[in-house]
Amino acid sequence: MVLKGIAASSGIAIAKVYKLQQPKLTIVKKEADKEEELAKLDKAFTKTINDIEAIKQRAAANLSEEELAIFDAHLMMANDPEMKSQIQDMIKNDGVNAEYATQEVANSMVAMFESMDNDYFKERAADVKDVTFRLQCNLVGAIIPDLTAIDEEVVIVAEDLTPSDTAQLNKTYTKGFATAIGGRTSHSAIMARSLEIPAVVGCGNILEVANHGDLLILDAVDGAVIINPSEEEVKVYTEKKVKFEEEKEALKILVNQKSVTVDGHEVELAGNIGSPKDVDGVLTNGGEGVGLFRTEFLYMNCETDFPSEDEQFEAYKEVLERMNGKKVVIRTLDIGGDKKLKYFTFPEEMNPFLGYRAVRFCLDRTDIFRTQLRALIRASAYGRLCIMFPMIATLDEFRSAKALFEEEKANLIAEGVKVGEKIEVGMMVEIPASAVLADQFAKEADFFSIGTNDLIQYSMAADRMSEKVSYLYQPLNPSILRLVKMAIDGAHSQGKWCGMCGEMAGDELAAPVLLGLGLDEFSMSASSILRARKMIRSLSKAEMTEMANKALQQETMADVVELVKNSLK
Ligand code: PEP
Ligand code: MG
């Protein structure tokens, strides 16, 4: 069976399906033999404790002491004689099945914790739910997936992957993933590209049609998934995989080459990263800098609280040091929208993507923002740091954010801390309002980086997470090109540089137009850099400028695509 999806991170994989889906339990009350149920309960408790111990051990390599504490809380609960004896009493007194008794006891414990006026006890309610869910699964023989336990080659099939799922992926065994929802710019797609794992997203009903253990071909070049393929299909795709990998290998000769056009115009090709670990990919793929460090992942990977100033300082310093004087653009916290934190509850909003997020949150919670700014300014002594603010809509927002930066910089200098000589302070252009007013922003911002993932989402009013409206993700629509031109021209009018860190920067059909429009820096997933360099080195800037001017005058995205393809012939 073939399913169509969106190729989110290119490559081909052929492996067994690992379904990452929580089992759905339907617990019904039954009359049951007391002795049998008590014995079943004993066994399930033992297995639950062993399972949690094993998960904790596997997680120990990647998590801090503080993060591991969650497993201790679960172990304490699973070992708590009070909970077990309440379940046993119910089995003995009411003659009911163990999973039903567990559910009843769990419900009353959760209700009790949730009614308490104390955050600590409220959190315990979540622990009870986790532990008793595992216990019930063990009672009925249902399997809870565990990414850290995978020990053979698989393709993961899931509704979507959260950042903590992707953080647990073992690249040795995870050959790719396919998700039911999402688009090219959803966060699981972005993570797949930075991990260089092939991925197809937006595969619709894949969870209904793929079973654990099925053989699956993931074609993340053309955006398709084949479940239980024929021998012939396996043969064809094995060849396609070899060819893909050979082409990738051949690009390696460009690692140390310049990104320069045939008529001598040089641009900068940089990499997008989500953690210091991703610097490896940028360097091995010949990145000339980091054009976007999405710091929110640092926050999302914390279990109990916002990361401290020191923790952040270490992460930023590591990236700056490893980039060894090359430009590193670090974006301040862009949280909210679809990006949630385990330890902070965002207010319920009708439209979270249009709501309390990114710099809006930071300007409200200046305590959290100042901590990040201090960590960044301290790290600036170790390389060439550019700081940028996300989701700037108005000049007032930019001025407020920059004023906080200046204040913290002055504070640190007064404290005798060494800071970098020149820290550039710029902004993302990802809200149409800021693109339209780019010439004014450019008087105060040191640089722009165009965030096309959001710029397109907001211009087209099309949720970037929804595969239903993914046809409106149209980077080459003339309307988007005109906004991009406004941003670039705005920056240049004040002698500033303009980059792009949205996915459009790594799009092979968009690159010639962006070059023609005068973009200075292209920042993309590390795995796209060499392909982009090959393309840039084959183009003439003068010709692309002429072509881009024509592109701006087209009517539809299809017209622009045709124009670009003709000009590349
Ligand atoms: C963007 O919006 O284009 C961008 C780079 O930021 P993010 O994808 O993290 O929203
Ligand atoms: Mg964005």
Side-chain angles (χ1 to χ4, degrees):
M1 165 176 248
V2 183
L3 291 180
K4 277 294 198 194
I6 300 159
S9 173
S10 66
I12 310 268
I14 306 173
K16 281 193 200 156
V17 169
Y18 184 92
K19 243 171 133 171
L20 184 66
Q21 189 181 30
Q22 289 296 344
K24 289 194 183 71
L25 300 183
T26 331
I27 305 287
V28 283
K29 183 177 178 181
K30 283 189 238 161
E31 263 182 45
D33 181 274
K34 292 177 192 173
E35 293 311 316
E36 270 177 30
E37 294 305 301
L38 288 171
K40 218 168 83 180
L41 184 70
D42 262 343
K43 261 200 195 152
F45 259 105
T46 309
K47 180 158 174 16
T48 300
I49 292 163
N50 291 344
D51 286 352
I52 303 172
E53 297 264 17
I55 297 170
K56 182 184 165 191
Q57 246 169 35
R58 286 194 296 268
N62 298 321
L63 300 183
S64 67
E65 282 292 314
E66 204 183 351
E67 288 164 333
L68 286 171
I70 181 99
F71 297 108
D72 292 327
H74 286 190
L75 280 171
M76 210 155 83
M77 194 150 281
N79 280 307
D80 176 10
E82 176 58 25
M83 179 163 85
K84 189 171 178 185
S85 71
Q86 281 189 34
I87 305 173
Q88 286 169 327
D89 287 348
M90 193 166 174
I91 295 175
K92 287 184 209 156
N93 299 336
D94 303 350
V96 292
N97 48 327
E99 54 273 21
Y100 177 75
T102 305
Q103 172 133 308
E104 289 296 293
V105 170
N107 287 348
S108 69
M109 285 178 78
V110 167
M112 179 192 74
F113 280 132
E114 282 181 344
S115 70
M116 289 183 177
D117 200 17
N118 173 319
D119 281 349
Y120 175 80
F121 285 115
K122 285 205 167 115
E123 279 164 25
R124 298 290 74 76
D127 293 340
V128 174
K129 283 186 202 163
D130 268 18
V131 172
T132 53
F133 178 69
R134 185 170 291 282
L135 185 61
Q136 286 177 312
C137 287
N138 285 333
L139 281 165
V140 302
I143 294 167
I144 301 180
D146 175 9
L147 291 173
T148 60
I150 296 175
D151 57 2
E152 58 174 347
E153 293 195 348
V154 295
V155 170
I156 292 172
V157 171
E159 174 76 4
D160 194 12
L161 291 180
T162 64
S164 71
D165 291 332
T166 34
Q168 289 177 53
L169 292 183
N170 178 333
K171 269 185 73 176
T172 314
Y173 298 122
T174 306
K175 295 293 147 195
F177 66 74
T179 63
I181 65 164
R184 246 196 86 74
T185 61
S186 60
H187 287 96
S188 49
I190 291 168
M191 291 294 276
R193 286 193 287 277
S194 69
L195 289 165
E196 299 190 49
I197 293 179
V200 179
V201 300
C203 302
N205 65 342
I206 187 160
L207 279 169
E208 285 148 43
V209 294
N211 293 310
H212 207 74
D214 282 350
L215 187 66
L216 184 145
I217 294 177
L218 185 80
D219 176 359
V221 174
D222 291 322
V225 164
I226 309 177
I227 302 161
N228 290 323
S230 64
E231 270 179 34
E232 182 55 27
E233 284 169 324
V234 172
K235 192 165 157 256
V236 170
Y237 277 90
T238 307
E239 282 163 17
K240 190 167 173 182
K241 183 170 188 277
V242 171
K243 192 161 163 256
F244 177 86
E245 276 154 15
E246 279 171 3
E247 276 173 15
K248 201 170 155 192
E249 201 46 45
L251 287 170
K252 289 268 160 72
I253 52 163
L254 294 175
V255 168
N256 295 316
Q257 303 289 321
K258 287 191 167 173
S259 309
V260 60
T261 61
V262 290
D263 50 350
H265 176 79
E266 198 171 335
V267 294
E268 190 179 335
L269 295 186
N272 292 348
I273 64 170
S275 80
K277 273 203 308 257
D278 300 339
V279 170
D280 287 339
V282 175
L283 293 173
T284 54
N285 285 291
E288 291 155 292
V290 166
L292 168 65
F293 178 179
R294 290 184 165 94
T295 59
E296 61 269 20
F297 293 112
L298 223 65
Y299 290 70
M300 288 158 89
N301 287 333
C302 288
E303 294 289 331
T304 51
D305 203 354
F306 287 89
S308 67
E309 181 182 317
D310 281 348
E311 266 172 80
Q312 293 189 59
F313 164 71
E314 290 299 337
Y316 306 147
K317 172 173 171 250
E318 184 181 340
V319 174
L320 283 157
E321 281 185 335
R322 296 204 49 214
M323 290 307 293
N324 199 15
K326 289 184 176 143
K327 193 186 74 190
V328 173
V329 182
I330 305 187
R331 174 172 80 185
T332 58
L333 182 59
D334 183 359
I335 203 74
D338 62 326
K339 293 178 272 191
K340 304 270 187 291
L341 299 173
K342 289 177 197 138
Y343 45 85
F344 180 85
T345 314
F346 282 88
E348 285 286 326
E349 290 176 299
M350 293 288 279
N351 292 299
F353 269 111
L354 302 181
Y356 184 62
R357 56 171 294 201
V359 81
R360 303 164 184 190
F361 168 79
C362 287
L363 290 176
D364 182 43
R365 289 297 307 267
T366 49
D367 52 332
I368 292 163
F369 194 32
R370 281 180 191 273
T371 304
Q372 182 173 37
L373 290 170
R374 287 177 63 88
L376 283 166
I377 298 162
R378 282 170 55 195
S380 68
Y382 298 87
R384 181 175 162 207
L385 174 66
C386 302
I387 297 177
M388 77 176 162
F389 306 126
M391 298 284 297
I392 293 285
T394 69
L395 251 169
D396 295 326
E397 284 175 335
F398 182 79
R399 286 175 184 154
S400 303
K402 188 160 177 193
L404 289 167
F405 160 82
E406 295 292 1
E407 256 179 64
E408 286 308 331
K409 187 172 155 198
N411 288 342
L412 282 162
I413 291 171
E415 288 165 33
V417 175
K418 190 164 164 256
V419 306
E421 272 167 28
K422 168 100 186 80
I423 309 173
E424 288 182 53
V425 180
M427 57 181 264
M428 294 200 57
V429 175
E430 53 184 344
I431 294 181
S434 63
V436 172
L437 208 62
D439 54 336
Q440 302 294 354
F441 279 99
K443 292 178 189 159
E444 300 180 36
D446 292 329
F447 66 93
F448 292 154
S449 185
I450 309 174
T452 47
N453 306 340
D454 280 318
L455 184 64
I456 298 171
Q457 147 164 280
Y458 296 130
S459 303
M460 296 287 181
D463 187 340
R464 62 194 264 193
M465 293 295 286
S466 164
E467 68 281 5
K468 290 271 189 316
V469 295
S470 63
Y471 74 95
L472 286 167
Y473 175 72
Q474 297 195 1
L476 287 169
N477 188 296
S479 61
I480 302 297
L481 297 180
R482 290 186 189 190
L483 286 169
V484 168
K485 180 175 162 55
M486 282 179 178
I488 298 172
D489 290 352
H492 291 175
S493 71
Q494 300 298 324
K496 309 290 171 65
W497 62 269
C498 183
M500 177 180 286
C501 58
E503 293 307 309
M504 181 178 180
D507 180 325
E508 288 178 43
L509 281 180
V513 187
L514 296 172
L515 178 71
L517 291 174
L519 191 72
D520 303 296
E521 177 234 44
F522 298 60
S523 190
M524 59 194 73
S525 314
S527 55
S528 305
I529 294 175
L530 292 174
R531 221 171 274 277
R533 181 163 298 147
K534 185 174 173 200
M535 159 83 81
I536 299 281
R537 290 171 63 87
S538 72
L539 299 173
S540 141
K541 166 77 164 81
E543 280 172 25
M544 291 307 114
T545 303
E546 211 184 306
M547 186 270 288
N549 285 333
K550 283 188 196 147
L552 292 165
Q553 302 311 319
Q554 300 300 308
E555 293 174 353
T556 66
M557 164 139 150
D559 297 336
V560 177
V561 169
E562 198 184 313
L563 179 77
V564 177
K565 284 187 173 162
N566 283 336
S567 79
L568 293 179
K569 266 184 196 152

